[in-house]
Amino acid sequence: MIFIHLRMEVHIISPFGFCSGVNNAIEMAKKARKSYSNGIYLLGMIVHNEDVVKELEKENMHIIDERKSNLLDELKKIPNGSIIIYSAHGHPYIYEEIAKKKNLIQIDATCPFVSLNLKEANEFEKGTTIYIGSKKHLEAASFYFNCPSSYFFDIDTFSFLRKGEKKPKHVITQTTLSEDEIEKAMEIIRKEYMEASLEKSVCFSTKSRQDAIKKLPNEYDAILILGSTYSSNTNKLASISIDKGFKTYRALNLEELKKLDLKGIKKIAVATGASTSKKTLEECSSYLESL
Ligand code: SF4
């Protein structure tokens, strides 16, 4: 009897690799390392991927992880004259005043799509904007502090954490939510505030990655989502894949992928979160193709 071993068929879902905001933040950090000999401190995980952050750590940068430390307390401890780099997700602007007093050289790696949200909120009449986001995420937490007149609708509890005095008219969201959860939030918001209209939603990178999974045909045995469990946009990709009924696997990198039980999977599609590198994708897809 002859046994034929068919290799796994692997489809890479596009777009893949770093989004523009993540790529820009990493390049800014690397450029800073080349330009300055002073200590460099990344205030908050500059992008939400542990492997990327470890690579920067190897280049002698100090990472202050917002999951483990209070950023404000840590900022106060940074030696005067050091360099600080703010994360792609933004930062409360109060940090800038503290940094100035300590003569820190400040580099802002905030993604332009994140900054645009605050800019738009400031252009609307004060106190008339509702922001939808997760207060546990640095992007939304920063907005909460930087735009104190705004309403804040928490996506984790689907309830308001803060309300204003005026009637809200405009709604803007954290850049990495899913369209389904925004719709659910809007239904709740409109019950109370009929006039509130969604002005600005997720960023282009988030939307195109989510749409690509939504459009996938049902011919795959499974979907592999590559990215950190701390990455908001990656978590949404996994939720969408599960909601579509796909068997969904998750891994940060090749090491984690090798631990997964992929028995019976013959055809797989692979998606990457916005802070997962092409190198990780290539390593993982080569491994899958070898099975
Ligand atoms: S996911 Fe969107 S908002 Fe976040 S860094 Fe990337 S481009 Fe910017």
Side-chain angles (χ1 to χ4, degrees), residues 131-150:
Y131 183 88
I132 305 175
S134 166
K135 185 119 184 286
K136 293 182 201 147
H137 193 281
L138 188 56
E139 178 185 340
S142 299
F143 188 96
Y144 185 91
F145 291 111
N146 293 335
C147 192
S149 65
S150 65

Side-chain angles (χ1 to χ4, degrees), residues 51-67:
D51 285 349
V52 172
V53 169
K54 266 186 218 156
E55 285 300 312
L56 295 175
E57 229 166 2
K58 280 186 206 156
E59 295 194 33
N60 203 19
M61 299 188 211
H62 307 276
I63 316 296
I64 304 172
D65 186 334
E66 69 265 28
R67 294 171 297 179

Side-chain angles (χ1 to χ4, degrees), residues 93-123:
Y93 289 154
I94 180 86
Y95 293 178
E96 294 183 12
E97 289 163 35
I98 296 164
K100 212 169 163 189
K101 282 184 194 147
K102 289 172 68 73
N103 287 326
L104 302 178
I105 297 168
Q106 304 176 61
I107 296 174
D108 188 359
T110 306
C111 173
F113 293 109
V114 172
S115 305
L116 204 60
N117 271 348
L118 185 64
K119 187 172 174 283
E120 290 212 0
N122 286 334
E123 280 167 7

Side-chain angles (χ1 to χ4, degrees), residues 18-23 25 46-47 88-89 109-115 117 137 139 174-176 202-207 209 233 273-275:
F18 295 148
C19 66
S20 58
V22 165
N23 196 47
I46 186 162
V47 301
H89 312 104
T110 306
C111 173
F113 293 109
V114 172
S115 305
N117 271 348
H137 193 281
E139 178 185 340
Q174 189 180 324
T175 55
T176 51
V202 299
C203 74
F204 176 74
S205 167
T206 297
K207 181 165 169 42
R209 283 167 209 251
N233 77 84
S275 44

Side-chain angles (χ1 to χ4, degrees), residues 160-173:
F160 280 98
L161 286 188
R162 182 172 67 195
K163 285 186 174 182
E165 301 280 312
K166 294 181 187 164
K167 264 201 171 171
K169 294 180 192 147
H170 317 284
V171 181
I172 55 183
T173 78

